Amino acid sequence: MTSQEMENIIEEVEHSLAVEHMTMTDEERENLRKVGRGEMTYRDLVNQYVTAAKQLAASHA
C-alpha cells in the first residue's frame, strides 16, 4: 500500500466517523498509518484500544 493510498483510507474513515458526529485524533491517525506500514497488526491495535477502554472503566468503578 502506498502512502497516498493509506492517507485516502484514513480520510474515508474520518468522513465515516463525521457522519456519526465523531472525530479521529492525531494518535488514531498515526495508529492506522502504523498498521498500513506493517509496524503493528490490526489485532494489536484493537487490543490496545480494548485495554485502554478497560482501564478507563476500572478507573471509574
Side-chain angles (χ1 to χ4, degrees), residues 24-50:
M24 182 183 296
T25 66
D26 290 338
E27 181 181 359
E28 291 167 332
R29 282 184 205 88
E30 183 56 28
N31 284 340
L32 289 177
R33 289 183 188 107
K34 286 179 182 178
V35 170
R37 291 188 300 254
E39 297 171 11
M40 157 187 298
T41 67
Y42 182 71
R43 180 174 297 280
D44 289 339
L45 181 58
V46 169
N47 287 339
Q48 177 182 322
Y49 289 145
V50 168

Side-chain angles (χ1 to χ4, degrees), residues 7-20 22-26 29 32-33:
E7 293 306 316
N8 290 343
I9 290 169
I10 291 171
E11 189 173 314
E12 288 179 23
V13 171
E14 285 184 286
H15 291 148
S16 293
L17 289 170
V19 169
E20 299 295 328
M22 300 170 69
T23 59
M24 182 183 296
T25 66
D26 290 338
R29 282 184 205 88
L32 289 177
R33 289 183 188 107

